[in-house]
Amino acid sequence: MSNIPVYQNYINGQFVQHSANYIEVMNPANGDVLSKVPSADKVEVEQAIHAAKQAQPEWASRPAIERAQYLHKIAEKIRQNIDRFALVITQEQGKVLSLAKVEVNFTADYLDYMASWARHIEGEIITSDRKGENIFLFRKPLGVVAGILPWNFPFFLIARKMAPALVTGNTIVIKPSEETPNNCFEFTQLLDEVGLPKGVFNVVCGSGRNVGQALSSSEDINMISFTGSVETGSVIMSAAAKNITKVNLELGGKAPAIVLDDADIDLAVSAIKASRITNTGQVCNCAELVYVHAKVADEFIRKISDAMASTRYGDPQLDPDIEMGPLVNKSCLNKVASMVEQAIAEGAKVATGAKVADTDSGYHYQPTVLVNCHADMEIMRKEIFGPVLPIQIVSSLEEAIELANSLEYGLTSSVYTQSLSQAMRAIELLNYGETYINRENFEAIQGFHAGTRKSGIGGADGKHGLYEFTQTHVVYMQN
Ligand code: NAP
């Protein structure tokens, strides 16, 4: 216990000694205490915002290609330390090591990708109605961005906020989740090593109630880029409203997987199973429920139940061959268990699983398939965020889409069919930010990850995600 690392907030280019309370970070697979991290107060948040604000004009005045060089250097350093970062993520978050390595590699790729935009950020020149006038649209940084992070892909999400922010000339203050801050401090160490100018990137760790709220209600923050739950997104939006601060919200999902009567069932089974157990079901865009056509329902249910039941799970550090680790904490385990109990009370039948796993330690839940589900059940409407797949039988594509569009979330969806016209019809009718045909998550760096309805405002990735971090300055120039 005495040898555990004690991390410090990173403000104005320095790890600053913290004098007040610390939070202990736990390993969800075995309960070990991994580190102590600051539980910061409003004063430290204000110091970080001040540092970011002071640093921003000079940072923005540099050529974008020079800003991008820092991102490339960080990416290079990440690639030199893949195993080390993957272990830090696995220990505090519980995902299997192979997935943690994917996350680390993807993070490095993301930094390089966003850096590659340095020579492609474009304004516009528009013809005027007036003689001798040109209309210029300049694309400029917003100023200081606050990045508030969840715990499920904590390392990647640092890059998803900071890379587009920095290459477009903003500075940033990051608040990691209290559950998974260690990887953020290790990432920050790299920034320190590549000599990023002071104040450009700052980290303040502490609770959402204190640090998150102070960031969201600050008038010196020009955009809050938040990834997390709908409930917190709504609180952040209210706080931001006071100062009319721009929000970019990447919130929860309830991704429906629609399996049609002409689907390749084996493909659908393997894709949906992989999606549902990836990161123990704790992914915003993984299949959260299935609408299966009555004609193929028996075969699909039998095969997906067998596939889910065969999932190997346990402590990712003890067995590198497992497919699934624990849930991130006890309260998430309890939430999943209680949603399943509620579904059974509402009439769902258990095809497999439906119990807290009988393991020596860790927050493990059995991979679960529930059938006989219908649209009124809580489990068919609320995000589960665990390895539980509820299934409803439908009689047509139109019925599935009507159900899918009635959900309060609109992040991602998937459709399994071998017919191009059914696929195109689904694309036309689905009111979702993202749809996968004959596959499940994940999204691509160059795509655009965004939700409709309560799944968020704005989006991330690609050109459109990059431009979220800019504002337009229009100039009317009369000769
Ligand atoms: P969460 O509970 O909403 O927390 C997210 C972050 O917000 C944490 O850093 C949290 O701080 C902070 N926070 C809490 N209360 C706050 C407040 N009043 N003001 C400002 N910040 C506050 O979400 P989570 O449980 O970490 O993450 C899971 C959720 O994220 C799921 O719903 C998932 O679908 C969603 N997600 C969405 C995407 C996407 O791209 N759409 C991607 C990943 C995850 P603490 O340290 O106190 O927790």
Side-chain angles (χ1 to χ4, degrees), residues 33-277:
V33 176
L34 297 166
S35 70
K36 281 171 46 168
V37 296
S39 176
D41 57 24
K42 207 174 168 209
V43 175
E44 284 161 286
V45 178
E46 279 165 4
Q47 287 167 352
I49 296 171
H50 179 72
K53 193 175 174 184
Q54 292 292 111
Q56 197 270 330
E58 195 280 329
W59 178 246
S61 74
R62 297 180 183 217
I65 196 70
E66 192 180 319
R67 297 194 294 264
Q69 287 311 322
Y70 287 99
L71 302 183
H72 286 309
K73 281 185 198 158
I74 298 161
E76 198 181 311
K77 284 206 167 265
I78 288 174
R79 290 199 183 92
Q80 289 160 4
N81 290 278
I82 290 169
D83 290 344
R84 183 167 72 81
F85 281 120
L87 184 61
V88 173
I89 297 167
T90 288
Q91 284 177 332
E92 62 184 331
Q93 198 261 310
K95 62 170 53 101
V96 295
L97 270 166
S98 53
L99 181 61
K101 283 183 195 171
V102 170
E103 181 174 351
V104 175
N105 273 305
F106 198 66
T107 303
D109 289 352
Y110 201 87
L111 288 157
D112 279 338
Y113 170 78
M114 282 298 170
S116 76
W117 272 98
R119 290 198 174 99
H120 303 283
I121 300 167
E122 291 178 345
E124 291 172 36
I125 305 170
I126 302 171
T127 52
S128 171
D129 295 347
R130 295 162 67 109
K131 194 171 175 201
E133 183 185 68
N134 277 300
I135 304 172
F136 298 96
L137 298 188
F138 289 88
R139 206 173 275 285
K140 294 191 170 176
L142 295 160
V144 180
V145 173
I148 303 180
L149 312 182
W151 45 259
N152 63 340
F153 286 93
F155 196 68
F156 165 59
L157 281 157
I158 306 168
R160 205 183 227 176
K161 309 291 182 206
M162 69 80 84
L166 265 51
V167 78
T168 49
N170 302 279
T171 55
I172 195 162
V173 181
I174 291 278
K175 184 203 112 50
S177 163
E178 290 168 278
E179 301 288 343
T180 54
N182 295 351
N183 69 86
C184 185
F185 288 113
E186 295 290 334
F187 178 97
T188 307
Q189 186 64 48
L190 296 189
L191 269 69
D192 205 51
E193 286 165 21
V194 303
L196 192 73
K198 61 181 190 176
V200 169
F201 179 95
N202 307 271
V203 177
V204 187
C205 185
S207 72
R209 227 181 18 260
N210 293 330
V211 175
Q213 198 60 20
L215 285 170
S216 331
S217 54
S218 167
E219 61 182 9
D220 288 327
I221 293 290
N222 305 99
M223 178 168 84
I224 303 152
S225 180
F226 169 73
T227 303
S229 63
V230 171
E231 294 70 24
T232 308
S234 173
V235 174
I236 286 175
M237 224 174 142
S238 303
K242 193 176 120 225
N243 298 306
I244 322 289
T245 305
K246 178 177 178 181
V247 290
N248 169 277
L249 304 176
E250 304 292 324
L251 308 179
K254 183 74 192 165
I258 300 174
V259 181
L260 295 175
D261 51 356
D262 64 349
D264 176 337
I265 297 298
D266 291 335
L267 170 82
V269 166
S270 78
I272 293 170
K273 177 211 162 164
S275 169
R276 189 67 289 209
I277 63 161

